[in-house]
Amino acid sequence: MQKIESIQAMQQWARSVQRDGKRIALVPTMGFLHEGHLSLIRLAHEQADRVVVSLFVNPKQFGPNEDYDRYPRDYARDQQLLEAEQVDALFCPSAEEMYTPGHSVYVEEDAVSRVLEGESRPGHFRGVLTVVAKLFLAVQPDLAVFGRKDAQQLYLIRKMARELNFPIAIVAGPTVREPDGLALSSRNAYLAGTAREQAATLHRALKEALRLYREGERNAYRLRKVMMDMVLAASEAEMDYIEIVDTATFTPVTTVQGPALALLAVRFGSTRLIDNMELTAEDAP
Ligand code: AMP
């Protein structure tokens, strides 16, 4: 595995791979890797000749009161996991390499980035879209793989790629979960004791909404109320939002008519967890 720290060296590597007619897939991560990340890497291998994983804890997507400094990091372990997955190149620039002094150009989406995660975390998606655009230009992949767990992020990255004409296919990977349903997340490392057990209620609530949906419930208020009651039954849970959005527009619905996503964000102490589930008639094959 090549370890590449500069943008220029990354671009050179990409050009030489492309000259050989090989397809590059990029899997962006913030490290502290888990099976969710590894599943995206395996998906990338299926669809490209060379896989690049980026590891960059992006300061621009953390708010002033968020966990940038204490975000979990374990570079040595990450490197071993990536070697084992036969990743071709690890792109791990420093913050100074990505954001030179005086950096002031950003990618900003003006509608969907303001709601839900964007409302709870002002500036978050500006940071995400800016870093993803920079990663796209550094790695120049044919495709990039993102997890469905971060549904609003996936939606906005697809929108950015389309509207800014990035010639990059955006591929989505399913959410990998613990046996009790908790979606894997680097931030789960913060969950201690009963909070860890209680965190599984997010997935239980989403599954209950799906069950009711499949029984014919189409009233979004009632579906949300059932989820809310289940989540708040966990003594340490604090609700941030529970919403049902139209999959195509990411706007909240009152009646579920077409494809929709149930989304929730819940705090356990200072740890904020998000999860989502597609409301579909059948499980995807
Ligand atoms: P992060 O390192 O948290 O920024 O995540 C990097 C990528 O992994 C993003 O595309 C996430 O959506 C994805 N991801 C995070 N958790 C999971 C999971 N449990 N299952 C699948 N993909 C995930």
Side-chain angles (χ1 to χ4, degrees), residues 122-185:
H124 172 65
F125 287 122
R126 178 170 104 140
V128 169
L129 295 181
T130 301
V131 83
V132 171
K134 286 174 69 67
L135 291 170
F136 283 179
L137 292 165
V139 178
Q140 306 187 15
D142 297 278
L143 62 106
V145 189
F146 295 88
R148 289 193 187 280
K149 167 162 177 281
D150 298 285
Q152 193 174 2
Q153 168 176 288
L154 173 64
Y155 180 90
L156 285 165
I157 289 168
R158 284 200 155 122
K159 199 168 195 315
M160 174 183 79
R162 200 167 55 240
E163 294 183 7
L164 295 185
N165 312 325
F166 282 101
I168 298 171
I170 307 299
V171 174
T175 301
V176 177
R177 298 178 181 282
E178 297 284 3
D180 68 358
L182 175 65
L184 295 190
S185 163

Side-chain angles (χ1 to χ4, degrees), residues 27-37 39-40 61 71 145-151 153 173-177 182-187:
V27 183
T29 82
M30 296 205 301
F32 210 69
L33 302 175
H34 52 63
E35 272 298 316
H37 298 115
S39 73
L40 302 183
Q61 71 188 67
Y71 193 81
V145 189
F146 295 88
R148 289 193 187 280
K149 167 162 177 281
D150 298 285
Q153 168 176 288
T175 301
V176 177
R177 298 178 181 282
L182 175 65
L184 295 190
S185 163
S186 307
R187 288 192 170 97

Side-chain angles (χ1 to χ4, degrees), residues 130-270:
T130 301
V131 83
V132 171
K134 286 174 69 67
L135 291 170
F136 283 179
L137 292 165
V139 178
Q140 306 187 15
D142 297 278
L143 62 106
V145 189
F146 295 88
R148 289 193 187 280
K149 167 162 177 281
D150 298 285
Q152 193 174 2
Q153 168 176 288
L154 173 64
Y155 180 90
L156 285 165
I157 289 168
R158 284 200 155 122
K159 199 168 195 315
M160 174 183 79
R162 200 167 55 240
E163 294 183 7
L164 295 185
N165 312 325
F166 282 101
I168 298 171
I170 307 299
V171 174
T175 301
V176 177
R177 298 178 181 282
E178 297 284 3
D180 68 358
L182 175 65
L184 295 190
S185 163
S186 307
R187 288 192 170 97
N188 292 352
Y190 303 143
L191 293 170
T194 48
R196 166 61 194 84
E197 268 164 52
Q198 293 188 7
T201 58
L202 273 76
H203 184 241
R204 277 201 293 274
L206 289 165
K207 274 201 319 196
E208 180 61 7
L210 179 62
R211 192 185 69 76
L212 293 169
Y213 171 81
R214 286 182 175 172
E215 279 186 352
E217 181 62 83
R218 293 292 181 270
N219 181 306
Y221 173 80
R222 282 200 291 269
L223 291 168
R224 288 166 61 209
K225 174 85 169 68
V226 166
M227 288 192 282
M228 178 125 43
D229 290 346
M230 282 181 74
V231 169
L232 292 181
S235 59
E236 293 178 49
E238 274 177 83
M239 202 70 233
D240 188 345
Y241 62 76
I242 291 195
E243 201 48 89
I244 297 179
V245 300
D246 177 314
T247 310
T249 61
F250 230 88
T251 49
V253 296
T254 49
T255 307
V256 185
Q257 282 164 324
L261 266 179
L263 304 158
L264 38 80
V266 179
R267 274 178 216 282
F268 287 89
S270 58

